[in-house]
Amino acid sequence: MGTLKNHVQLIGNVGQDPTVTTLENGKTVAKFPLATNEHYKNAKGEKQTDTDWHNIVAWGKTANIIERYVTKGKEVAIAGKLTSRSYEDKNGTKRYVTEVVASEVLLLGSK
């Protein structure tokens, strides 16, 4: 059960082309939003879809794969861990961010 701690798996569509940055220390980071959909029928029997958006962050080799192969609209599977952080914006307001730090990316769908 130790391997199940803080483990996230998502399958969804990339919301925009990833932003890939090489930092001063030489590390590469990729960031992009991922949309996941849940389909169900409401009380009237009508089909409904709920969409959730997730902030995805990847480092190193995983970021390089994302830079090379992942584009807006592409269906991908992500495995990683959930992280939260806070920062102060330029107005001094404290902001909170929850992200999925991807350790694996699987490209799905057709080419």
Side-chain angles (χ1 to χ4, degrees), residues 2 5 11 33 44 48 57 59 64 70-71 84 90 108 110:
K5 293 180 183 175
I11 295 176
K44 297 179 183 178
Q48 300 290 310
V57 177
W59 294 89
N64 293 336
V70 175
T71 57
S84 297
K90 55 187 168 190
L108 304 173
S110 60

Side-chain angles (χ1 to χ4, degrees), residues 21-42:
T21 308
T22 301
L23 305 176
E24 291 177 9
N25 61 9
K27 290 186 179 181
T28 305
V29 60
K31 296 181 181 185
F32 63 93
L34 184 74
T36 57
N37 296 314
E38 180 181 353
H39 304 282
Y40 63 94
K41 290 185 179 180
N42 64 13

Side-chain angles (χ1 to χ4, degrees), residues 12-17 70-76:
N13 294 90
V14 177
Q16 68 183 44
D17 287 337
V70 175
T71 57
K72 179 180 179 179
K74 183 79 174 161
E75 186 179 25
V76 296

Side-chain angles (χ1 to χ4, degrees), residues 22-103:
T22 301
L23 305 176
E24 291 177 9
N25 61 9
K27 290 186 179 181
T28 305
V29 60
K31 296 181 181 185
F32 63 93
L34 184 74
T36 57
N37 296 314
E38 180 181 353
H39 304 282
Y40 63 94
K41 290 185 179 180
N42 64 13
K44 297 179 183 178
E46 301 165 332
K47 290 183 180 180
Q48 300 290 310
T49 301
D50 281 341
T51 302
D52 288 312
W53 288 93
H54 311 276
N55 297 316
I56 309 298
V57 177
W59 294 89
K61 290 181 181 179
T62 306
N64 293 336
I65 291 168
I66 289 168
E67 179 179 32
R68 200 163 166 191
Y69 298 107
V70 175
T71 57
K72 179 180 179 179
K74 183 79 174 161
E75 186 179 25
V76 296
I78 300 289
K81 65 179 183 175
L82 197 61
T83 61
S84 297
R85 60 185 172 86
S86 63
Y87 66 94
E88 281 191 19
D89 66 13
K90 55 187 168 190
N91 299 324
T93 306
K94 193 163 193 173
R95 301 283 181 181
Y96 297 91
V97 179
T98 301
E99 300 167 321
V100 175
V101 177
S103 55

